[in-house]
Amino acid sequence: MTQALRLGIAGLGTVGVGVVRIVRRHADLLQARTGRPVEIVAVSARDPNKDRGVSLSDYAWETDPVALAKRDDIDVFVELMGGENGPAKASVEAALASGKDVVTANKALLAIHGQDLAEKAEATGRVIRFEAAVAGGIPVIKSLTEGLAGNEITRVMGVMNGTCNYILTRMQSQELGYNALFEECAQLGYLEADPNLDVGGIDAAHKLALLSSIAFGTKPNFDGIEIEGIQQISLDDIHQAHDMGYRIKLLGLAQRTARGLEQRMQPCLVPSNSPLGQLEGGTNMVVIEGDAVEQVVLRGPGAGEGPTASAVMGDVCDLARGLQIPTFGRPATSLQEATPARTGLPAPYYLRLALLDKPGALAKVAAILGDAGVSIDRMRQYAHSETTAPVLIVTHKTTRATLDHALEGLRATDVVSGDPVALRIEQV
Amino acid sequence: MTQALRLGIAGLGTVGVGVVRIVRRHADLLQARTGRPVEIVAVSARDPNKDRGVSLSDYAWETDPVALAKRDDIDVFVELMGGENGPAKASVEAALASGKDVVTANKALLAIHGQDLAEKAEATGRVIRFEAAVAGGIPVIKSLTEGLAGNEITRVMGVMNGTCNYILTRMQSQELGYNALFEECAQLGYLEADPNLDVGGIDAAHKLALLSSIAFGTKPNFDGIEIEGIQQISLDDIHQAHDMGYRIKLLGLAQRTARGLEQRMQPCLVPSNSPLGQLEGGTNMVVIEGDAVEQVVLRGPGAGEGPTASAVMGDVCDLARGLQIPTFGRPATSLQEATPARTGLPAPYYLRLALLDKPGALAKVAAILGDAGVSIDRMRQYAHSETTAPVLIVTHKTTRATLDHALEGLRATDVVSGDPVALRIEQV
């Protein structure tokens, strides 16, 4: 098989340029490894005149990515534009319809439209590969789909948004509040155009939906994910977690239970000495648990030109080598509908509430918790501002339903100001 | 492709039984994932009457693994007997010659005979897969060969012998000496029949030879590995490393330099807060660095029935899905001869020597180091026994050649008893 694998690349931002660089720099290496040349035939981006720091003159230029996707001189359409609709979706559909395989880094597109696109791909005998969509340079899709294919997967967890982990670990190390670090990230260009995708947990939840689908053989079910961002995390929370031997992480978790598929993306406390607790800065980590392998932990850069382009090229090399695996690891038409389930497993929770300066306020809080059936492991009250005092509580193990009942009571009482913060303490 | 993939399994020890269990337990799952049934047709082991806790009555029995390998009703020969020669080698050769793909967990066989076997496989158009041979359940061969195929690999490192890491971390946590822990491991069954394979670093070096070959496109070169075991590590070393912010690990490292391929398996000091430094107990970890991906860290169980069988089944599923990749990631005939090179990069070193109780002894040691060009960062002398006192030294950065010169001087002097211990302090 010495015919070249011909790529059309749509989107020449950071990742697209990274892919071009690798294909040019490693032409010999790629051929040695895959047994055939890997070539770029055509590219597409908005502005053909922008200097991207890499020569594009060897490649045909298409202004319209759909036109690129339909070209009959490409074998693989590499979609690096992003966005869950618009040109990304239209061009991926066009590529599949015209018999091209697709490599994409687009987590939003696949989390929302993945089932439909996977069925379209199978109808035309093509495949969609998306290693770069989840956890940047870490070969996690490959590990889960192929390396661990002999396992019934029992749980998948991960820290999959580098910006959030950067903020949370900098809060700890720099003694800075959330808002200051949000500003720092904005200035460093670490935030998506819509920052809520990052700090609101949505970007990470897109990734979790893809991992879940492969792990459990279910259709990607982004809407079934409980999502909570990190905007409510205060320096008090970080300190208190630290004092108890925990770290706060925006943790994604998916597991199949008797009641259905549990998927959550929310700030949690994890033990400081666990691999997840030790994860600093913008690095990503995915933990995969299976009935045979027990636990595998994968760690690496979650974003950036090189790492993301590395993941794209891993997929490209697989296609060059002739690997054809269904999008989510088994035929799309065999994937089951996911039944979302809230977590039923009891866990300790960390609570923070702003107590109003009224006589008997703390007793009232304790009574509400007790009446709801939530028992207190530890409690600490600080003197803080003029009108409210922060109260930090760690509960004994309780179910989420019981806790919700207690939170309802706390919201209804007249001694608590604003919404209490409740974080699960996860054993990982 | 609905024809079953038919396995012949040679070796029914822990791993073999684990594979049988997975194939029986997950028949539906394997078919859903690979698109075809995965079946065991025949097995081979020494004693057909031994109770292995799993029913084998559905399978044909062969006393001779070579006969099993030649059966024309199997597609894949799964070699789980171990040993670098003897029946393992003979049966793998027979399988390849008769047109079967091979899946093996046998690191010794491939580290020593891998080049020859890979060429034999290619001559008959077959493949050898060996995920289980390196780092147990961690999909590291797949990550390196496929997921990171777009990278020029710059360095591979790892802790790949769980027994050694168990001993080293227990020395620290239990305040026990090497000999006590060696005994504990013997009683727990953690040691190979020849314990030197474990504590002498040979088993881990076999694994390193395989990673090197894939990473750098060279023929497996086990003989080119500098190997040093952990038998000389004392509790003093563990404590001293800890006080300086380091941990001692049996670390494998391979990198290609201008002078050749550097491969070493030796106890090193690594920073306590690095992923490698944080690795406790029998867990394995492999660190892969590439020009695009930067650094990926993979962690998981390095041995045991479930994890090793998981790796075997990952390979089996790949074959069921039709994946055909050359043994070491590129055609065997294109692999280059490795030119072994000792490390040229300077590093700080940790030294321990037993100083004889003579006047001016310490000054003599300092002078020898100074004359050789090794400068001392820190030095500590203890009063310990009647005739000798342990001296612990941390040097400034120096090359291995300079250090060896100094060590020669220390061995020749009349104030040092026995051989000095020298451990590299590795920045990981």
Side-chain angles (χ1 to χ4, degrees), chain A residues 121-154:
Chain A
E122 276 164 41
T124 58
R126 305 326 310 169
V127 296
I128 304 172
R129 297 188 65 79
F130 56 95
E131 185 65 81
V134 180
I138 308 175
V140 56
I141 299 295
K142 179 169 278 287
S143 295
L144 187 60
T145 316
E146 302 167 37
L148 302 175
N151 287 264
E152 180 177 11
I153 302 299
T154 48

Short mmCIF file of all heavy atoms in Angstrom, two decimals, chain A residues 121-154:
data_model
loop_
_atom_site.label_atom_id
_atom_site.label_comp_id
_atom_site.label_asym_id
_atom_site.label_seq_id
_atom_site.Cartn_x
_atom_site.Cartn_y
_atom_site.Cartn_z
N ALA A 121 -21.78 8.06 8.92
CA ALA A 121 -20.49 7.48 8.54
C ALA A 121 -20.65 6.00 8.22
O ALA A 121 -20.13 5.51 7.20
CB ALA A 121 -19.46 7.68 9.67
N GLU A 122 -21.36 5.29 9.07
CA GLU A 122 -21.51 3.86 8.84
C GLU A 122 -22.30 3.56 7.57
O GLU A 122 -22.04 2.56 6.89
CB GLU A 122 -22.16 3.20 10.06
CG GLU A 122 -21.09 2.90 11.11
CD GLU A 122 -21.68 2.61 12.46
OE1 GLU A 122 -22.70 1.91 12.53
OE2 GLU A 122 -21.10 3.11 13.44
N ALA A 123 -23.25 4.42 7.28
CA ALA A 123 -24.06 4.21 6.08
C ALA A 123 -23.20 4.26 4.83
O ALA A 123 -23.48 3.56 3.83
CB ALA A 123 -25.18 5.25 6.02
N THR A 124 -22.14 5.06 4.86
CA THR A 124 -21.28 5.14 3.68
C THR A 124 -19.97 4.37 3.89
O THR A 124 -19.04 4.50 3.09
CB THR A 124 -20.94 6.62 3.34
OG1 THR A 124 -20.31 7.22 4.47
CG2 THR A 124 -22.18 7.40 2.98
N GLY A 125 -19.89 3.59 4.98
CA GLY A 125 -18.69 2.78 5.20
C GLY A 125 -17.47 3.58 5.60
O GLY A 125 -16.34 3.13 5.42
N ARG A 126 -17.68 4.77 6.16
CA ARG A 126 -16.54 5.59 6.57
C ARG A 126 -16.44 5.62 8.10
O ARG A 126 -17.31 5.10 8.80
CB ARG A 126 -16.67 7.04 6.06
CG ARG A 126 -16.86 7.24 4.56
CD ARG A 126 -16.16 6.25 3.65
NE ARG A 126 -14.74 6.06 3.96
CZ ARG A 126 -13.97 5.10 3.45
NH1 ARG A 126 -14.49 4.19 2.62
NH2 ARG A 126 -12.71 5.01 3.75
N VAL A 127 -15.38 6.23 8.60
CA VAL A 127 -15.22 6.35 10.04
C VAL A 127 -14.95 7.80 10.44
O VAL A 127 -14.46 8.59 9.63
CB VAL A 127 -14.08 5.46 10.59
CG1 VAL A 127 -14.39 4.00 10.37
CG2 VAL A 127 -12.75 5.83 9.97
N ILE A 128 -15.31 8.12 11.66
CA ILE A 128 -14.97 9.42 12.26
C ILE A 128 -14.03 9.12 13.42
O ILE A 128 -14.33 8.28 14.26
CB ILE A 128 -16.23 10.12 12.80
CG1 ILE A 128 -17.27 10.28 11.71
CG2 ILE A 128 -15.86 11.48 13.41
CD1 ILE A 128 -18.61 10.79 12.22
N ARG A 129 -12.92 9.82 13.45
CA ARG A 129 -11.98 9.62 14.57
C ARG A 129 -11.79 10.97 15.27
O ARG A 129 -11.77 12.02 14.63
CB ARG A 129 -10.65 9.06 14.07
CG ARG A 129 -10.84 7.66 13.45
CD ARG A 129 -9.53 6.99 13.12
NE ARG A 129 -8.76 6.70 14.29
CZ ARG A 129 -8.97 5.67 15.11
NH1 ARG A 129 -9.94 4.82 14.87
NH2 ARG A 129 -8.21 5.49 16.17
N PHE A 130 -11.61 10.93 16.58
CA PHE A 130 -11.65 12.20 17.35
C PHE A 130 -10.78 12.17 18.59
O PHE A 130 -11.15 12.72 19.63
CB PHE A 130 -13.10 12.53 17.71
CG PHE A 130 -13.81 11.43 18.47
CD1 PHE A 130 -13.86 11.43 19.85
CD2 PHE A 130 -14.42 10.39 17.79
CE1 PHE A 130 -14.50 10.43 20.55
CE2 PHE A 130 -15.07 9.38 18.49
CZ PHE A 130 -15.11 9.39 19.87
N GLU A 131 -9.61 11.56 18.48
CA GLU A 131 -8.70 11.53 19.63
C GLU A 131 -8.45 12.93 20.19
O GLU A 131 -8.37 13.12 21.41
CB GLU A 131 -7.38 10.86 19.22
CG GLU A 131 -6.39 10.66 20.33
CD GLU A 131 -6.89 9.69 21.39
OE1 GLU A 131 -6.79 8.46 21.20
OE2 GLU A 131 -7.38 10.19 22.42
N ALA A 132 -8.31 13.91 19.30
CA ALA A 132 -7.96 15.26 19.74
C ALA A 132 -9.12 15.97 20.44
O ALA A 132 -8.93 17.02 21.06
CB ALA A 132 -7.50 16.10 18.55
N ALA A 133 -10.32 15.39 20.36
CA ALA A 133 -11.47 16.05 20.98
C ALA A 133 -11.49 15.90 22.49
O ALA A 133 -12.16 16.65 23.19
CB ALA A 133 -12.77 15.50 20.38
N VAL A 134 -10.78 14.90 23.00
CA VAL A 134 -10.82 14.62 24.44
C VAL A 134 -9.40 14.60 25.02
O VAL A 134 -8.56 13.81 24.59
CB VAL A 134 -11.51 13.26 24.73
CG1 VAL A 134 -11.55 13.00 26.23
CG2 VAL A 134 -12.92 13.24 24.15
N ALA A 135 -9.15 15.49 25.95
CA ALA A 135 -7.91 15.48 26.72
C ALA A 135 -6.67 15.64 25.84
O ALA A 135 -5.63 15.02 26.10
CB ALA A 135 -7.81 14.21 27.58
N GLY A 136 -6.76 16.50 24.84
CA GLY A 136 -5.61 16.92 24.04
C GLY A 136 -4.71 15.80 23.58
O GLY A 136 -5.12 14.91 22.86
N GLY A 137 -3.45 15.83 24.03
CA GLY A 137 -2.46 14.89 23.53
C GLY A 137 -2.53 13.50 24.12
O GLY A 137 -1.81 12.60 23.67
N ILE A 138 -3.36 13.29 25.13
CA ILE A 138 -3.42 11.97 25.78
C ILE A 138 -4.17 11.00 24.88
O ILE A 138 -5.30 11.28 24.48
CB ILE A 138 -4.16 12.05 27.13
CG1 ILE A 138 -3.58 13.16 28.01
CG2 ILE A 138 -4.14 10.72 27.84
CD1 ILE A 138 -4.37 13.37 29.31
N PRO A 139 -3.58 9.84 24.57
CA PRO A 139 -4.30 8.88 23.71
C PRO A 139 -5.39 8.13 24.48
O PRO A 139 -5.33 6.92 24.65
CB PRO A 139 -3.20 7.95 23.20
CG PRO A 139 -2.06 8.12 24.13
CD PRO A 139 -2.20 9.43 24.84
N VAL A 140 -6.40 8.85 24.91
CA VAL A 140 -7.40 8.27 25.80
C VAL A 140 -8.51 7.56 25.02
O VAL A 140 -9.00 6.50 25.43
CB VAL A 140 -7.97 9.32 26.77
CG1 VAL A 140 -8.55 10.51 26.03
CG2 VAL A 140 -9.03 8.72 27.67
N ILE A 141 -8.90 8.13 23.86
CA ILE A 141 -9.94 7.49 23.06
C ILE A 141 -9.42 6.13 22.60
O ILE A 141 -10.11 5.12 22.66
CB ILE A 141 -10.31 8.38 21.85
CG1 ILE A 141 -10.85 9.73 22.32
CG2 ILE A 141 -11.29 7.66 20.93
CD1 ILE A 141 -12.15 9.65 23.06
N LYS A 142 -8.19 6.12 22.14
CA LYS A 142 -7.56 4.87 21.70
C LYS A 142 -7.44 3.86 22.84
O LYS A 142 -7.75 2.68 22.68
CB LYS A 142 -6.18 5.17 21.10
CG LYS A 142 -5.44 3.95 20.62
CD LYS A 142 -4.21 4.30 19.79
CE LYS A 142 -4.56 4.60 18.36
NZ LYS A 142 -4.92 3.39 17.57
N SER A 143 -7.00 4.31 23.99
CA SER A 143 -6.85 3.40 25.13
C SER A 143 -8.20 2.78 25.50
O SER A 143 -8.30 1.58 25.75
CB SER A 143 -6.28 4.14 26.33
OG SER A 143 -4.97 4.58 26.05
N LEU A 144 -9.21 3.61 25.53
CA LEU A 144 -10.54 3.13 25.96
C LEU A 144 -11.17 2.24 24.89
O LEU A 144 -11.70 1.17 25.20
CB LEU A 144 -11.42 4.36 26.24
CG LEU A 144 -12.80 4.13 26.85
CD1 LEU A 144 -12.70 3.43 28.19
CD2 LEU A 144 -13.53 5.47 27.01
N THR A 145 -11.09 2.66 23.65
CA THR A 145 -11.76 1.93 22.57
C THR A 145 -11.04 0.65 22.19
O THR A 145 -11.67 -0.37 21.89
CB THR A 145 -11.85 2.82 21.29
OG1 THR A 145 -12.24 4.13 21.66
CG2 THR A 145 -12.82 2.24 20.29
N GLU A 146 -9.72 0.70 22.21
CA GLU A 146 -8.93 -0.42 21.69
C GLU A 146 -8.16 -1.13 22.79
O GLU A 146 -8.31 -2.32 23.02
CB GLU A 146 -7.97 0.09 20.60
CG GLU A 146 -8.70 0.79 19.45
CD GLU A 146 -7.76 1.56 18.53
OE1 GLU A 146 -6.64 1.09 18.29
OE2 GLU A 146 -8.15 2.65 18.07
N GLY A 147 -7.30 -0.41 23.48
CA GLY A 147 -6.42 -1.05 24.45
C GLY A 147 -7.19 -1.78 25.55
O GLY A 147 -6.75 -2.83 26.02
N LEU A 148 -8.31 -1.21 25.97
CA LEU A 148 -9.06 -1.80 27.09
C LEU A 148 -10.33 -2.50 26.60
O LEU A 148 -11.28 -2.71 27.37
CB LEU A 148 -9.38 -0.72 28.13
CG LEU A 148 -8.13 -0.03 28.69
CD1 LEU A 148 -8.49 1.11 29.62
CD2 LEU A 148 -7.23 -1.03 29.41
N ALA A 149 -10.35 -2.89 25.32
CA ALA A 149 -11.56 -3.47 24.73
C ALA A 149 -11.97 -4.78 25.38
O ALA A 149 -13.11 -5.23 25.22
CB ALA A 149 -11.36 -3.67 23.22
N GLY A 150 -11.07 -5.42 26.12
CA GLY A 150 -11.41 -6.66 26.80
C GLY A 150 -12.11 -6.46 28.14
O GLY A 150 -12.44 -7.43 28.82
N ASN A 151 -12.32 -5.21 28.51
CA ASN A 151 -12.90 -4.91 29.83
C ASN A 151 -14.36 -4.48 29.74
O ASN A 151 -14.74 -3.75 28.82
CB ASN A 151 -12.16 -3.73 30.46
CG ASN A 151 -10.78 -4.10 30.95
OD1 ASN A 151 -10.59 -4.41 32.10
ND2 ASN A 151 -9.82 -4.11 30.02
N GLU A 152 -15.13 -4.86 30.73
CA GLU A 152 -16.34 -4.11 30.99
C GLU A 152 -15.90 -2.89 31.78
O GLU A 152 -15.32 -3.01 32.86
CB GLU A 152 -17.35 -4.93 31.80
CG GLU A 152 -18.61 -4.15 32.07
CD GLU A 152 -19.66 -4.97 32.81
OE1 GLU A 152 -19.31 -6.07 33.30
OE2 GLU A 152 -20.79 -4.52 32.91
N ILE A 153 -16.14 -1.72 31.22
CA ILE A 153 -15.70 -0.50 31.89
C ILE A 153 -16.67 -0.21 33.04
O ILE A 153 -17.89 -0.24 32.85
CB ILE A 153 -15.65 0.68 30.91
CG1 ILE A 153 -14.71 0.37 29.73
CG2 ILE A 153 -15.22 1.97 31.62
CD1 ILE A 153 -13.27 0.11 30.13
N THR A 154 -16.12 0.06 34.20
CA THR A 154 -16.98 0.28 35.36
C THR A 154 -17.11 1.75 35.71
O THR A 154 -18.13 2.18 36.23
CB THR A 154 -16.44 -0.50 36.58
OG1 THR A 154 -15.04 -0.26 36.70
CG2 THR A 154 -16.64 -2.00 36.37
#
